[in-house]
Amino acid sequence: MFNKSYANKTVLVTGHTGFKGSWLSIWLNMMGAKVIGYSLDPYSDRGNFTASHLNNRLFADIRGDIRDFQKLNEVIRQYKPEIIFHLAAQALVRTAYNNPKETYETNVIGSINILEAVRQNDFIKTVIMVTSDKCYENIEQIWGYKETDRMGGYDPYSASKGCAELAISSYRDSYFNPKDYAIHKKAIASVRAGNVIGGGDWSDHRLIPDCIKSIEIGRNIEIRNPIATRPWEHVLEPLSGYLRVGQKLQEDPIKYATSFNFGPHISANKTVFDVVTKLVEYYGKGKVVDVSIPNAVHENILLNLDVTKSYVMLDWEAKWGLQAAVEKTVDWYKEALICSDMYDFCVKQIIEHGGKGIQ
């Protein structure tokens, strides 16, 4: 699928113990990459990283804080990755309200630490910086945000991602400018995805994990913002886009050193209530209860992404609709109840998605 772009390449994945990072690490492992993981401990012993026993399957599994530049740079200099996927982040809106300083330090300074390591180490050639669809200044418009739209953020999490994008753009312009590629030999892209669902996410204050936890213990599923509309997509959708960007950066580092959105077809832009209803119907049990709080912390109601640029430049589009995304997600959680090693199940879903670039 990716023309063996990652076979035998040393690839650093920050945040590899997290939800998206663990799935990306599995996919890279399938394609023959030497995956170096750098992250904090897994958030949950039920998450995809632990459930898939990735600590025994990667080239190196390293614990470290993305804010610790000295340790990060030492690891990078030891393993000399050619490619970096930066996913380490504080990724929760509600957590950011409670811990804004830590959120900014992790999401902004952490990103700058990666960029600074890239600046200091010549062997790094290709870098994919993962931010969020919430990096845009959200004005509740009905059309999708484009890569050229203004960065912003009402809440600390969203603002931290907007700040990270500005830092990435500044470093690219100042040190890794595409027009000077012949001199620095480095290509950097930033990627932004919509609301991602999939198996193995056990974070607090996340819609799908909260639903699954409630179903498993026989408790009502309480939703606090039922009318919020988001671009829902299965985790493999944006990951396929990130991998495509990495491939294209290696093939044409000047053309593709830019930013890209990865979101679903507009038909998947549904409300929280719609998604939970589909999940309950497919799972076969569960009861949904609206517990909206009038004076709750601010969260934007409407958010869509325009993915025209990714479609035109990368030949990328989401493969699974919302129903399929929900079903694949539920299938993972049900399988995890009876399976002690989810790695092969993840591989199976990646192949079903079209990720056939296996060594």
Side-chain angles (χ1 to χ4, degrees):
M1 183 178 180
F2 299 106
N3 299 329
K4 297 187 177 181
S5 300
Y6 300 99
N8 300 313
K9 300 284 182 67
T10 301
V11 182
L12 174 69
V13 177
T14 69
H16 72 296
T17 63
F19 170 47
K20 289 170 72 175
S22 62
W23 277 96
L24 178 62
S25 297
I26 291 172
W27 204 333
L28 287 165
N29 205 43
M30 289 169 60
M31 294 189 292
K34 298 176 182 177
V35 181
I36 313 300
Y38 181 92
S39 183
L40 299 175
D41 288 331
Y43 178 80
S44 168
D45 59 7
R46 300 181 67 191
N48 189 45
F49 176 85
T50 303
S52 298
H53 299 276
L54 283 183
N55 60 315
N56 297 321
R57 289 186 160 109
L58 304 183
F59 191 79
D61 171 30
I62 300 163
R63 295 292 172 270
D65 193 318
I66 197 65
R67 296 171 295 177
D68 185 346
F69 178 75
Q70 182 176 347
K71 181 170 183 178
L72 173 67
N73 206 32
E74 287 174 356
V75 169
I76 286 174
R77 289 180 173 177
Q78 177 182 353
Y79 290 97
K80 294 181 171 53
E82 305 164 60
I83 303 168
I84 294 178
F85 286 90
H86 173 51
L87 288 84
Q90 195 300 97
L92 301 173
V93 172
R94 292 173 69 85
T95 299
Y97 269 111
N98 294 328
N99 299 289
K101 181 175 181 292
E102 180 180 338
T103 298
Y104 280 106
E105 288 174 346
T106 302
N107 295 349
V108 183
I109 301 304
S111 297
I112 290 173
N113 283 344
I114 287 289
L115 294 165
E116 189 62 19
V118 175
R119 190 175 73 88
Q120 293 184 19
N121 297 288
D122 291 339
F123 48 80
I124 303 171
K125 302 300 182 185
T126 303
V127 185
I128 300 88
M129 304 287 291
V130 180
T131 62
S132 169
D133 58 346
K134 294 179 178 63
C135 67
Y136 295 108
E137 182 179 25
N138 193 322
I139 56 175
E140 303 284 358
Q141 64 188 27
I142 60 173
W143 53 88
Y145 292 93
K146 298 180 180 180
E147 288 84 350
T148 53
D149 282 337
R150 182 173 176 169
M151 297 292 103
Y154 179 106
D155 59 275
Y157 170 75
S158 301
S160 74
K161 290 299 188 176
C163 289
E165 282 284 355
L166 292 175
I168 294 165
S169 178
S170 174
Y171 263 77
R172 183 168 49 216
D173 289 345
S174 300
Y175 306 110
F176 320 118
N177 199 303
K179 67 181 179 64
D180 298 323
Y181 177 77
I183 299 172
H184 56 72
K185 301 288 185 181
K186 298 176 185 292
I188 295 182
S190 66
V191 292
R192 308 152 185 174
N195 281 49
V196 175
I197 64 175
D201 183 6
W202 288 105
S203 300
D204 289 333
H205 310 305
R206 290 282 286 266
L207 182 62
I208 300 303
D210 287 350
C211 290
I212 298 297
K213 292 172 188 174
S214 296
I215 290 173
E216 288 186 356
I217 64 176
R219 185 178 63 195
N220 288 339
I221 299 172
E222 299 180 346
I223 52 177
R224 66 180 185 271
N225 200 357
I227 64 171
T229 300
R230 297 287 185 267
W232 307 98
E233 58 187 328
H234 191 273
V235 63
L236 296 181
E237 306 286 19
L239 294 186
S240 69
Y242 303 169
L243 290 167
R244 178 72 76 189
V245 171
Q247 172 197 355
K248 293 297 185 181
L249 283 173
Q250 294 177 67
E251 295 173 356
D252 190 336
I254 297 176
K255 179 179 179 180
Y256 295 97
T258 181
S259 56
F260 294 96
N261 287 340
F262 295 102
H265 187 271
I266 192 171
S267 63
N269 292 342
K270 297 293 186 181
T271 66
V272 166
F273 183 80
D274 290 332
V275 174
V276 176
T277 299
K278 288 181 181 294
L279 184 145
V280 168
E281 289 177 351
Y282 185 70
Y283 200 106
K285 59 181 178 179
K287 181 180 179 181
V288 184
V289 178
D290 182 353
V291 293
S292 303
I293 302 174
N295 297 318
V297 295
H298 174 84
E299 289 190 55
N300 291 306
I301 297 298
L302 186 62
L303 178 59
N304 297 319
L305 288 177
D306 185 316
V307 297
T308 304
K309 183 177 179 181
S310 294
Y311 179 79
V312 172
M313 290 185 64
L314 303 171
D315 191 28
W316 178 93
E317 62 181 331
K319 295 184 177 181
W320 289 340
L322 180 58
Q323 185 64 41
V326 170
E327 291 179 3
K328 298 293 184 183
T329 299
V330 170
D331 288 344
W332 191 100
Y333 286 105
K334 283 188 171 182
E335 183 70 15
L337 292 173
I338 59 175
C339 180
S340 61
D341 187 343
M342 291 297 291
Y343 185 85
D344 288 342
F345 190 86
C346 291
V347 169
K348 173 176 172 288
Q349 288 200 332
I350 290 171
I351 293 173
E352 290 170 349
H353 184 266
K356 299 178 181 178
I358 304 172
Q359 286 300 104

